[in-house]
């Protein structure tokens, strides 16, 4: 049964509760969309400027989740109020962003630069190899400390303050506080990246370089340096996405965040159009809504298959690849080196 | 002292030996035309000068410094501008943003932009329009303006009249003349009479080599030396 067929009788039966359900599904969709934007925006920035398909993107998200978790677990103590916890969470985001941006930049300089002159397959294999190494290192480390890598790290997730864990009654709809937090962070991040791209000189160079890096060089701009900065920032943003997922009960710090983040990030950037910031924003919203609606349908028991949200999201991807392979806002060509 | 010396450069695309020992000199204030049939290496010569396609042997001396194998952005930062074939606008950026990219870092962009708008009134009118929406002639104006508003002592101009209506070509010639008041130029141009009209001297290329070089004064397409190399 399709989703629309399922929702129609519900809407007709009881309009008030149906609107409350719709509000809850909408807000949860926005929250998920904010998370999807956060994990995908770095991938699209890197591809847009450099033409690099970065398969290590998910690994940086995974590292972000664990590093953010480490900060929270070690700093948070029992008596802290929710505001203090949230402030420490922001400090964790800033720290993780800084550390993993620098690490990403080092990776670009040491590993990516030597292979820019080779075919894109080298970049794919190298970045995927880095991702696998990091995932295995996380598995070894977590097992060493008695934590199963496939099971979300409970201690980190439990640092979520009650104020965000609670469900709030909004116009009769029960909505978890974390979704509002994710939406707020997502909006701040969209604005921050948008202002960076449109209001700063570096953003201008990045947008110009996405179209024609050779021409940008010929205007006296060091495109290689821009590559390093964008690669670092893109990875740093993936890590911020990871810190956000650390608290999310649907995700949590695990070793397979590496692949999960990568897959969802690719779905978003392909639907939005590889390299398009606007496309990433719109696609994250669409994928978030689709996931939220499918999750609702699953929880109602209309379709008894826990993989329904994933099937819906990847179905959207397949549909886009068939109907419009360049994505919603994609261009025929993007930058490169 | 010459502002630019190209000394016996050999440039390849893979196995293809495109420039086979090109040498040329450009004095400050000159306009030099590179002429020749399609595929003789004119555009490659400009790309080699700018180190976009560095030579395998030979050297390029710009303002007394050997710039061979230096990154293009460094060579451009030394004061070498490029108006490429087919304009190569940043089509998703506005006219103003296209110009802004060309203003050197640390320089107040406002006077530079005003200078460009004074020279090209069309650009002023469309300053907030995407460059991709401009006509061919307007894009060529923008490409020339982009080359002029940097701190460039030498401008490399590739096929400025290509694909433009004759009336628009007149405007482009006027723009290049205006640019030449402040900047030395090397122009690649298929349109022989236009090249002779603009340039002080020319280099005639054939099969990756300079085969003739002299003043443009009194030179016509009927000259036997020219006809031999320009006729198909």
């Amino acid at each position: 049964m399709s989703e629309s067929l399922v929702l129609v009788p519900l809407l007709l039966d009881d309009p008030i509760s149906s609107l409350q359900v719709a509000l809850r599904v909408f807000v949860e969709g926005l929250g998920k969309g904010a998370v999807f934007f956060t994990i995908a925006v770095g991938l699209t920035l890197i591809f847009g400027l450099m033409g690099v398909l970065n398969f290590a993107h998910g690994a940086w998200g995974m590292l972000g989740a664990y590093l953010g978790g480490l900060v929270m677990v070690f700093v948070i103590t029992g008596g802290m109020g929710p505001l203090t916890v949230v402030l420490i969470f922001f400090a964790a985001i800033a720290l993780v962003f800084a550390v993993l941006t620098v690490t990403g930049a080092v990776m670009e300089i040491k590993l990516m630069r030597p292979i820019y002159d080779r075919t894109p397959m080298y970049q794919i294999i190298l970045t995927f190899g880095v991702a696998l190494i990091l995932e295995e290192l996380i598995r070894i480390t977590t097992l060493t400390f008695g934590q199963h890598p496939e099971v979300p790290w409970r201690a980190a997730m439990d640092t979520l303050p009650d104020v965000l864990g609670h469900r709030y009654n909004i116009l009769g709809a029960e909505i978890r506080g974390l979704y509002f937090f994710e939406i707020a962070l997502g909006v701040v991040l969209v604005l921050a990246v948008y202002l960076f791209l449109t209001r700063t000189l570096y953003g201008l160079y990045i947008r110009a370089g996405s179209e024609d890096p050779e021409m940008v060089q010929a205007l006296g701009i060091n495109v290689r340096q821009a590559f390093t900065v964008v690669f670092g920032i893109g990875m740093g943003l993936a890590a911020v996405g990871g810190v956000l997922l650390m608290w999310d009960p649907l995700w949590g710090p695990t070793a397979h965040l590496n692949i999960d983040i990568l897959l969802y990030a690719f779905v978003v950037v392909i639907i939005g159009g590889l390299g398009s910031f606007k496309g990433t924003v719109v696609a994250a919203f669409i994928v978030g809504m689709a996931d939220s609606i499918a999750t609702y349908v699953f929880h109602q028991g209309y379709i008894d298959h826990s993989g329904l949200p994933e099937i819906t999201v990847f179905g959207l991807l397949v549909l886009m690849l068939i109907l419009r392979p360049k994505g919603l806002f994609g261009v025929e060509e993007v930058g490169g080196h | 002292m010459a502002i630019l010396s190209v000394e016996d450069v050999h440039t390849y695309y893979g196995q293809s030996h495109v420039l086979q020992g090109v040498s040329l000199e450009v004095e400050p204030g000159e306009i030099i035309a590179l002429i020749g049939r399609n595929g003789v290496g004119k555009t490659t010569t400009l790309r080699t000068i700018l180190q976009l396609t560095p030579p395998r042997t030979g050297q390029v001396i710009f303002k007394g410094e050997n710039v061979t194998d230096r990154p293009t952005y460094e060579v451009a930062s030394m004061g070498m501008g490029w108006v490429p074939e087919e304009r190569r606008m940043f089509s998703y950026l506005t006219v103003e943003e296209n110009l802004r990219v060309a203003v050197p870092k640390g320089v107040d962009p406002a006077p530079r932009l005003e200078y460009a708008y004074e020279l090209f009134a069309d650009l002023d009118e469309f300053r907030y329009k995407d460059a991709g929406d401009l006509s061919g002639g307007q894009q060529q104006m923008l490409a020339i303006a982009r080359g002029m508003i940097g701190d460039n002592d030498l401008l490399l101009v590739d096929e400025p009249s290509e694909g433009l209506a004759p009336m628009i070509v007149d405007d482009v010639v006027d723009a290049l003349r205006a640019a030449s008041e402040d900047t030395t130029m090397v122009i690649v141009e298929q349109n022989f009479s236009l090249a002779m009209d603009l340039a002080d001297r020319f280099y005639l290329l054939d099969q990756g080599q300079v085969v003739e070089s002299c003043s443009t004064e009194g030179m016509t397409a009927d000259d036997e030396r020219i006809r031999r190399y320009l006729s198909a």
Side-chain angles (χ1 to χ4, degrees):
Chain A
M1 195 184 292
S2 76
E3 289 149 22
S4 56
L5 287 177
V6 170
L7 291 172
V8 166
L10 185 88
L11 284 166
L12 292 176
D13 285 349
D14 180 355
I16 299 287
S17 67
S18 300
L19 284 175
Q20 288 166 348
V21 167
L23 177 64
R24 179 166 64 80
V25 170
F26 180 73
V27 173
E28 289 182 3
L30 279 182
K32 288 177 177 193
V35 168
F36 291 146
F37 171 80
T38 312
I39 61 177
V41 64
L43 192 67
T44 210
L45 282 181
I46 290 171
F47 187 80
L49 176 67
M50 305 163 68
V52 169
L53 283 171
N54 176 23
F55 278 74
H57 190 77
W60 255 248
M62 172 191 69
L63 289 178
Y66 276 102
L67 283 179
L70 265 183
V71 173
M72 298 306 287
V73 167
F74 279 100
V75 176
I76 303 292
T77 56
M80 286 179 175
L83 183 64
T84 312
V85 174
V86 170
L87 286 176
I88 292 169
F89 178 79
F90 284 124
I93 283 186
L95 181 72
V96 167
F97 179 73
V99 169
L100 290 180
T101 294
V102 171
T103 319
V106 170
M107 175 177 163
E108 195 277 336
I109 293 167
K110 296 294 178 191
L111 300 181
M112 302 302 292
R113 278 191 190 178
I115 60 164
Y116 280 146
D117 293 336
R118 302 190 189 177
T119 63
M121 186 54 76
Y122 281 85
Q123 297 159 13
I124 292 172
I125 292 171
L126 186 139
T127 53
F128 195 57
V130 168
L132 292 180
I133 290 169
L134 290 173
E135 185 180 321
E136 287 312 310
L137 285 175
I138 283 289
R139 285 177 189 281
I140 292 167
T141 310
T142 49
L143 284 171
T144 305
F145 289 95
Q147 169 69 37
H148 197 289
E150 297 295 336
V151 177
W153 183 17
R154 208 65 255 169
M157 296 178 80
D158 287 345
T159 59
L160 177 74
D162 288 344
V163 69
L164 296 182
H166 276 149
R167 289 184 179 277
Y168 293 90
N169 188 313
I170 311 289
L171 302 173
E174 295 281 318
I175 301 169
R176 191 189 287 269
L178 185 62
Y179 283 114
F180 294 106
F181 186 68
E182 287 173 344
I183 292 167
L185 268 186
V187 169
V188 168
L189 209 57
V190 168
L191 283 176
V193 176
Y194 175 77
L195 291 175
F196 171 69
L197 288 175
T198 58
R199 297 283 187 272
T200 68
L201 197 53
Y202 224 86
L204 182 63
Y205 295 161
I206 288 167
R207 286 189 293 139
S210 297
E211 266 195 70
D212 191 341
E214 186 179 79
M215 189 65 229
V216 171
Q217 276 207 83
L219 291 171
I221 296 151
N222 185 350
V223 169
R224 281 285 160 97
Q225 192 185 62
F227 281 5
T228 306
V229 170
V230 166
F231 200 86
I233 289 177
M235 297 295 244
L237 289 171
V240 169
V243 182
L244 202 53
L245 295 180
M246 174 205 59
W247 266 353
D248 194 318
L250 298 173
W251 301 71
T254 62
H256 57 79
L257 263 189
N258 172 26
I259 298 300
D260 291 346
I261 289 176
L262 187 67
L263 285 177
Y264 274 94
F266 265 113
V267 169
V268 170
V269 298
I270 290 170
I271 290 176
L274 278 165
S276 164
F277 172 74
K278 184 167 67 176
T280 303
V281 177
V282 175
F285 175 76
I286 291 171
V287 174
M289 284 300 158
D291 190 300
S292 181
I293 291 169
T295 304
Y296 167 74
V297 171
F298 165 68
H299 282 305
Q300 292 304 302
Y302 295 115
I303 297 174
D304 188 16
H305 188 313
S306 64
L308 186 64
E310 282 87 348
I311 291 173
T312 308
V313 166
F314 287 101
L316 271 179
L317 172 70
V318 171
L319 208 62
M320 182 56 73
L321 287 173
I322 292 169
L323 298 177
R324 194 177 162 84
K326 66 177 183 178
L328 294 173
F329 297 97
V331 290
E332 298 298 341
E333 289 181 29
V334 294
H337 29 79
Chain B
M1 186 180 75
I3 186 169
L4 176 74
S5 302
V6 177
E7 298 174 1
D8 192 27
V9 297
H10 289 254
T11 302
Y12 294 72
Y13 289 121
Q15 297 296 312
S16 179
H17 191 174
V18 182
L19 299 188
Q20 303 178 13
V22 167
S23 297
L24 53 90
E25 293 229 327
V26 182
E27 298 297 326
E30 275 190 313
I31 301 183
I32 297 293
L34 296 184
I35 57 173
R37 279 184 297 234
N38 270 335
V40 296
K42 304 186 297 291
T43 294
T44 305
T45 303
L46 296 191
R47 292 182 61 86
T48 299
I49 291 169
L50 203 46
Q51 302 305 305
L52 287 164
T53 310
R56 212 171 273 184
T57 60
Q59 56 186 13
V60 176
I61 311 291
F62 178 51
K63 296 206 280 196
E65 279 189 51
N66 187 352
V67 297
T68 317
D69 286 328
R70 283 173 67 170
T72 295
Y73 76 89
E74 276 186 25
V75 181
S77 298
M78 288 172 65
M80 194 185 289
W82 186 38
V83 180
E85 201 176 5
E86 296 169 350
R87 279 81 78 174
R88 291 176 65 172
M89 294 297 91
F90 304 117
S91 53
Y92 297 106
L93 268 55
T94 63
V95 167
E96 184 139 316
E97 286 173 334
N98 266 274
L99 293 169
R100 182 67 191 82
V101 177
V103 177
K105 270 186 204 165
V107 172
D108 179 10
R112 304 289 177 112
L113 297 177
E114 286 315 310
Y115 169 63
Y117 295 140
E118 272 171 30
L119 281 176
F120 307 108
D122 272 8
L123 298 185
D124 191 9
E125 191 181 335
F126 299 125
R127 58 166 78 184
Y128 301 120
K129 196 172 176 179
D130 281 355
D133 295 335
L134 299 180
S135 69
Q138 289 164 342
Q139 286 193 0
Q140 188 60 275
M141 298 298 178
L142 179 54
I144 294 168
R146 202 170 56 177
M148 287 172 68
I149 63 171
D151 292 325
N152 293 323
D153 302 309
L154 174 68
L155 203 53
L156 309 174
V157 186
D158 201 351
E159 304 280 11
S161 72
E162 191 184 33
L164 299 181
M167 228 172 70
I168 308 294
V169 171
D170 291 343
D171 291 341
V172 169
V173 169
D174 288 344
L176 290 172
R177 276 195 212 288
S180 70
E181 285 174 17
D182 304 317
T183 315
T184 307
M185 274 193 214
V186 177
I187 296 180
V188 163
E189 182 54 62
Q190 285 279 352
N191 181 333
F192 180 81
S193 53
L194 191 153
M196 292 303 106
D197 187 29
L198 269 174
D200 303 307
R201 289 191 298 126
F202 72 91
Y203 286 87
L204 176 60
L205 269 72
D206 191 56
Q207 295 183 345
Q209 293 177 322
V210 174
V211 290
E212 187 73 53
S213 128
C214 64
S215 161
T216 55
E217 206 171 316
M219 189 61 67
T220 69
D222 294 332
D223 188 291
E224 179 54 30
R225 290 169 297 176
I226 303 297
R227 209 145 52 94
R228 197 178 347 145
Y229 291 106
L230 288 189
S231 56

